[in-house]
Amino acid sequence: MNRFDYVKPASVAEAIAAASAPGAAYLASGTNLLDLMKGNVVRPARLVDISHLTELTRIEHRENGDVRIGALVRNADLACDQSFARDFPAIAEALLSGASAQLRNAATVGGNLLQRTRCAYFFDPASGCNKRTPGAGCDAREGDNHQHAVLGWSEACIATNPSDFCVPLAAFDAVVEIEGPAGRREIALEALHLLPGSTPERETVLDPGEIIVAIRLPAEARAFARHARYLKVRERNSYAFAVVSAAAGLVIENGTISHARLALGGVAAKPWRAREAEALLAGQPAGPSAFQQAAAAALRDARPSGDNAHKIPLARSLIVRALAAAAQGTPSRMPALPASPFSSVPGVHQ
Amino acid sequence: MTPELNLSRDPAHLRHGSTIGQPLSRIDGLAKVTGRARYAADNNPSGMLYAVLAVSSIARGRVVSLDVDAAKAHPGVVAVMTSANRPPLQADPDGKPNPFAFRFEALQNDRVRYANQPIAVVIAESLEAATEGAALLAPRYQAEPARIGLDTGEAYVPPVVGMGFPAESHHGDAAAALAGSDKRITATYETPAHYHNAMEPHAIVAEWQGDRLIIDTPTQGLVMMRARLAELFGIAPENILIRSPYLGGGFGGKGLMAGAQVLGILAAKLVDRPVKLVARREQLYGPFGHRSPTRQTLKLGANAAGQLSAIHHHARIATSSFEDFYEAAAHVTHTLYAAPAISTTYDAVRMDTGTPLFVRAPGIAPGSIALESAVDEMAEACGLDPLAFRVKNYAEVEPATGKPFSSKALRDCYTQGAERFGWWERPLKPRTMRDKDGFLVGWGMGTATFHALMFAGQARAVIRRNGSGVVESGAHDMGQGAWTAFAQIAADALALDLDQVTFKAGTSDLPDAGIAGGSAHTATVGTAIHNAGAAVITKLAELATSDQRSPLFGAGNAGVIARNGRLLRRDDEGRGESYAEILARAGLDEVEGSGAGMPDPAANEHYAMHSHGAVFAEVKVDPDLGQVRVTRMIGAFAAGRIINPKLVRSQLIGGMIWGVSLALHEEAIIDHRSGRIMNANLGEYHVPVNADIPAIETFTVNEHDPFVNPLGIKGVGEIGITGSAGAVANAVAHATGIRVRRFPVRISDLVPPVS
Ligand SMILES: Cc1cc2nc3c(=O)[nH]c(=O)nc-3n(C[C@H](O)[C@H](O)[C@H](O)COP(=O)(O)OP(=O)(O)OC[C@H]3O[C@@H](n4cnc5c(N)ncnc54)[C@H](O)[C@@H]3O)c2cc1C
Ligand code: SF4
């Protein structure tokens, strides 16, 4: 373990000042960061503990219909906020499909956005990992890469982003509110994470010292509330990261799709918004043929990065299923096993 | 006069008010759920220091340097123990005094033989300081290429497998029989390395008092561990006290002494203060044993009517580079199905891993999933229902030896299990059942089996002047409920109510209870307790029947029975007297008797002894996405006399969950280059969670076994895994039409290519 400073700022402004020093990291609930520190995977020189900043713990339902979620809202609290879950059911479902009840009670939404990849070689300081140590090589390439990326990966890094929450956020045009030494800015969640390219160590567009203060969902995204699902395929039926996941939202008028939203998880270093597929869906009757076309389009550029070719047909089938489930209508209550394929009535089986 | 006269021939459980057979809750349950039960690592003797292991990140090579100075300079660090300064041992850790003494690492040199091997111990005033000190050691290595995987190096035929079975055995001529068979299948199945993953990590608190050694550590074999330590430290066994009242799970991983326990004791010696050493979760994936990966090839032959003609079961297994332990994966084939020709063969490779060890249902668990899969494949080839096929090939005698079974109520398990499950509705053809939502549904079954073993164990029983009893045996409660089951047997053995008997266990100064493993602990210690009780009652009866003042005078021992703290005349139950009265008249404070439990060589010579069962499973599989869910499981078991149905049910359910795990979840992912285990934590090493497990139904069928031991106990600790893993695998095949032969079954095995 590294020696590090620990500071507990009294405000966001103080936090930013404290975190502008080199090697500083924000500490929210630590369910990811502290694990990585204990494993000697990351070695911040300074921990800026923001967990007590109550100014970041509110869920605001604004008059214009936007919802603004403070970065320190707990995953469980957001998922269980009645009006949030009603307006953004797929996001609530994604949250409840993540981790375990204990972790969801602790984990913050800001921390969820910035959680690191679960690539086992990244977690193992004795392995070569370009993300951890630029230039050290990527031991996943010739190693166990059953769960690695099929989209947007590079020779330098084939890791995936593990977040469930980010997938519907990307689909529904969430905006991330950021404050930093240079002031405030907002970016689309879709633009928050970077693909690895030749610099996999750089995972987001955040600059040193920048803090996520809130996540905002635009009022328009509520239009999808009646037809929105998040589905997650996993190797056990709970408490497992996604092999592949999909968030789908539709607006259906007289059987015809007028607007569609689609994003994938578990396939790339970022939540993967499938815009081309969305465009294909708009204007088509909500049915298998449109869903299959959309699925094919979403995976057109996919290629295996190792022993993971199965993810491509899997992602295609999951898209079809998620769209069909969304078309069928958002369930009136949260399924007992959120996001499980066993909680979606397939309806589209051959 | 034989001690059994009073009890064995008139089984204690038939006594009115018998405690055996009652579904009592664990007597230690309340202490456990309220946190009062003190596990090894909960002990903090005064002056205690904390020891932390530094472990290797390479799998093979040498430690070239350790920054001991940096570690020592850290505030709170008291000492760093390396191969340069560790106190001497009186026996070589690489020696092999007996087959149960595994070679281990105790900093004897700078060699690294597997990843996570201890390479130093840092001892400090606090856990934090010791942890930091260990990190500061910053080891440098000279690494050699790790040998990982079942194809590494030259395969060889191991000298023996399991606990001394021959690595090659032939009953009939399997090759010829296969060649002449109408139907033949050949299939290869793979299972990965499994780690025990008990909730309680290996831990030791060691304190030297001169040359006396006091240890708190979880062990499944108190006296065996004591003997090994005595040898290593050159002190008399009586000078060592090991306390192990509770284990937070053992599963075989705490069966033999581990090197890290020795390191804790050496650390205490080095600093001359009590020391606590607890392995961190990831450190459990190395020095503490695991189940070898297996690759098993089964060749089955049958005639046109579906009668098996031959089975050849070959297993490739792995052991470490420095020790021999060979998972006896093929041996299950010796006992289960009636084929006239049976061959089992093995070969092995050496890998740069820790030495494999017994893991719950050693040999049988991986062997059973392969055999049960292959039997289903053959049933399908013969066009027969899997259960009908198994019944057709029912072994009336043990196939590989021709011995009759001491008891075998497997037919009842098949019949009753099938009926409760509704098995006979099952369509033969796979991929034909769907639920209303369109999910694929599959039904599979497997035969469960586990040998009914006994080791050697002792117990002491005392009746005190007030009529109450004390029974002692150094038995082990791994969470299976030994405290309760043995107290029940003790109560019956003394013909007293449970609350009149004090049962003592869990320390090495009590009579040797053998090892808690092999599903043999209840049979072994139960028999010892039963015999100790009989001995003490016999003494009481002698006192009474030879005393003219007793109403029992002249009845003769055989004419007396014990009931509710009294001895009664068999021919006139109105005449009798209490234990207290007998002792008072004799002027004795107490009477004592001892008893042993051990296998009866004559019975073993004549009979094959096994528990059996039939497990039925239903799975649902998403046809497009390949995700599997077990939705129903029923297990019917024949395991001799049931001492406590509630504890037995828990054991069986727990075993069946392990079966689900073997089929669908569990796998240590070992990087084939570095030899490191990439998922050495309970987040990524998957075992089933609640959402993976349906309501499991288990029941036991009546089985009276007069040969296994006087109480008719066969053991239930491991059998639940066997059969279950195969049942789930077969259900997946039935649901999908896809036969997966590499376990665990993964989504990638089942997800269809997009049309
Ligand atoms: C066993 C296990 C299973 C899990 N399973 C899942 C799963 O199935 N699905 C899933 O989506 N997640 C899963 N998770 C991940 C979990 O969701 C994250 O650990 C959690 O959301 C992180 O939140 P936190 O508040 O604890 O963040 P921390 O650990 O405190 O921080 C995480 C990162 O975010 C940074 N950070 C935190 N807050 C801010 C902020 N406001 N501004 C700038 N930077 C910030 C920190 O510096 C750090 O780099 C799992 C985690 C574990 C341990
Ligand atoms: S895939 Fe990325 S995170 Fe994983 S080892 Fe390679 S570089 Fe590191």
Side-chain angles (χ1 to χ4, degrees), chain B residues 372-383:
Chain B
E372 293 303 314
S373 296
V375 162
D376 255 45
E377 296 203 48
M378 185 47 118
E380 196 175 344
C382 295

Side-chain angles (χ1 to χ4, degrees), chain B residues 190-281:
Chain B
E190 291 194 43
T191 61
H194 297 145
Y195 283 75
H196 301 89
N197 279 314
M199 284 300 290
E200 180 203 28
H202 284 70
I204 184 164
V205 178
E207 176 171 9
W208 287 92
Q209 296 173 350
D211 69 349
R212 253 179 76 72
L213 176 60
I214 319 282
I215 305 170
D216 295 291
T217 196
T219 173
Q220 296 172 241
L222 280 161
V223 171
M224 211 163 79
M225 179 173 178
R226 187 180 66 167
R228 180 90 160 115
L229 289 175
E231 197 174 78
L232 287 166
F233 288 94
I235 54 179
E238 300 71 44
N239 275 2
I240 302 175
L241 175 65
I242 310 174
R243 295 180 293 219
S244 181
Y246 305 111
L247 286 81
F251 312 124
K254 292 164 184 162
L256 302 183
M257 188 206 68
Q261 289 166 311
V262 179
L263 289 174
I265 300 167
L266 285 165
K269 185 138 221 167
L270 182 74
V271 295
D272 199 19
R273 282 170 67 176
V275 159
K276 180 190 294 191
L277 189 157
V278 182
R280 276 205 306 272
R281 179 59 59 184

Side-chain angles (χ1 to χ4, degrees), chain B residues 25-39 42 245-246 483:
Chain B
S25 293
R26 283 154 208 268
I27 53 188
D28 48 338
L30 194 62
K32 283 185 175 166
V33 298
T34 54
R36 279 186 292 112
R38 193 182 269 248
Y39 288 80
D42 296 333
Y246 305 111
W483 279 112

Side-chain angles (χ1 to χ4, degrees), chain A residues 1 118 121 124 126-127 139 142-143 146 233-237 310 314 316 321 337 341-342 346 349-350, chain B residues 132 437-439 622-625 627-629 665 671-673 676 678 683-684 687 692 746-748 754:
Chain A
M1 211 207 296
R118 304 306 286 200
Y121 298 93
D124 171 29
S127 291
D139 276 354
E142 303 294 325
H146 202 64
V233 177
R234 46 201 141 163
E235 296 282 9
R236 62 182 169 191
N237 286 287
H310 64 281
L314 177 61
R316 283 179 60 169
R321 176 73 60 78
L337 261 186
F342 294 101
H349 288 151
Q350 53 278 58
Chain B
E132 180 65 7
D437 295 324
F439 292 105
D622 191 301
D624 310 321
L625 308 175
Q627 195 167 315
V628 180
R629 205 168 181 205
H665 299 293
D671 184 83
H672 60 272
R673 300 154 300 181
R676 280 193 299 283
M678 301 311 294
E684 318 278 341
V687 294
D692 295 303
R746 296 184 295 185
I747 282 163
S748 53
V754 171

